Amino acid sequence: MTAQDKISRYSPEFDVAVRGDTITADRYITREWMELENKHLWPKVWHLGGVLADLEEEGDFIRHNFGKESVVMVRQADGSVKAFYNTCPHRGNRLVLGDVGSAPRLTCGYHGWQFDPDGTLVHVQDPDDFAGGNPCGKVTLSELRCDTWGPFVFWCMDDDVAPLHEWLWPYTERLAGYKLDNWVRVLNVSADCDFNWKIIRDNFNESYHLPTIHPELATFINDGLPTTVFEMYENGHNAMWMIGHQATSRKDYVSGDVPPGLYEAAEAWGIDPKEYRGRTADIREAVIKAKRERGADAGYDYSSMTDQQLVDYFHCTLFPNLTITMSPEQCQILRTEPHPTDPEKCVFQHWCLYPPNAKMTEVFTPVGMAPLKHDAIARHSVYGDGVSLGFVADQDLSIGTTQQQGLNSRGFKGCLLPGQEKRVQRFHEKLNDMVLGHPTAARE
């Protein structure tokens, strides 16, 4: 791996040099690495806790279990949201056992201690039996930082981490035109998986796998290196712009008929694909024009989107474990989180949000049609049990277990990466800096 790339395109404005640290197997398989991540990584980043649609009224709450930790986000009387560790200050029992709910007070199921939505203790059994007097009004739940962006609520364990909107840069600017604030989470699925959380993060940090793992995407997403732009930012986040509504340049999809996928995408906007035989690359501009002319009639608000946002795919990877894939009609959230105790397991989560549309009652999700309403499809499963997490996500996850097995081999000496996978290299060097406090030896 070298810092100089001869084929893949890295934005000259947003590029970061890499050192060439060896990407070792121990980070995927050992408890030592897992414990170092728990100590030095996870407290130092913002975590996506849920969506504001679950927090409409005072007392509404969301629980987010993360590794061994558990956090509760609660809507306040003034409309703000507070986050608390999900542990009773009495003897540590978890207060909230469900993922979402609403209650005027958070009540511990062990001894009945009760807390107002702002975390203040307001009721205990036998209040006069405490040496310091009645603890009500004096004791509070342990609070974490909490903030919102768009339809999302985030939490953070460390007071020294940059404020959320600063930490999210540049996505607060780059995604503003999509007007995400009132988008609806229709798909909310997750699964337990038999591989380390970083395996799928590596996968989302590169597009090298698209021709082999997702060959069907090639007919309407151009995954060719000359047209794909990669960006890397100093804060560890990175991005990839892929041209949509255009077939891959890796094969000749231009001189003949419009291929499937691109064919249907054209028809959806009243464009006759037969008229584009031999010039299929022109469909992209035709779709831009059609969306500008007919988008409002179809119930969409494209007014603040650029032409590029109307047809292309913006793949945003937030360090360390969150990915947002944007198109004008869908926002995908893809995330892996660590297993509480086993470094060779993780939890994979897949959300899909859609813009509200008065002309539509259903939307096409990665697992099929669903009503355009909050969490129309919500389920948790075990990967491999036959329950789909989305047709593309299923393909991504299909390599996870076998890669985990291969990383346990004595024959694996460290990753050997092409230039287009520099984002993978950067991800692990950022991990080395945070988790180890120093780089590992460079591969010779």
Side-chain angles (χ1 to χ4, degrees), residues 40-59:
H40 299 298
L41 174 66
W42 300 122
K44 303 293 184 179
V45 298
W46 282 91
H47 297 269
L48 174 58
V51 292
L52 289 169
D54 283 325
L55 299 173
E56 294 182 333
E57 305 291 339
E58 181 186 6

Side-chain angles (χ1 to χ4, degrees), residues 168-228:
L168 286 168
W169 186 91
Y171 303 125
T172 49
E173 302 170 10
R174 294 294 187 87
L175 302 184
Y178 295 101
K179 297 181 179 178
L180 283 169
D181 287 27
N182 60 352
W183 284 36
V184 181
R185 186 178 68 185
V186 174
L187 182 72
N188 176 11
V189 296
S190 58
D192 298 323
C193 301
D194 289 328
F195 46 80
N196 184 272
W197 68 272
K198 292 182 288 294
I199 283 182
I200 294 302
R201 299 325 306 167
D202 291 344
N203 183 78
F204 292 148
N205 275 318
E206 50 94 349
S207 59
Y208 194 43
H209 69 281
L210 263 65
T212 50
I213 303 298
H214 311 302
E216 72 286 346
L217 300 183
T219 61
F220 61 93
I221 298 178
N222 191 344
D223 61 356
L225 289 180
T227 56
T228 300

Side-chain angles (χ1 to χ4, degrees), residues 2 26 69 75 159 162 183 187 257 260 266 269 279 287-288 291 293 299 302 304 319 330 334 390 396 403 406 425:
T2 66
D26 58 337
E69 200 54 83
R75 177 70 79 175
D159 290 339
W183 284 36
L187 182 72
D257 292 331
W269 286 98
R279 55 187 187 98
V287 172
I288 292 173
K291 285 189 173 185
E293 294 175 349
Y302 296 136
S304 58
F319 182 85
Q330 184 189 73
L334 302 142
D396 287 318
Q403 187 176 357
Q425 183 72 28

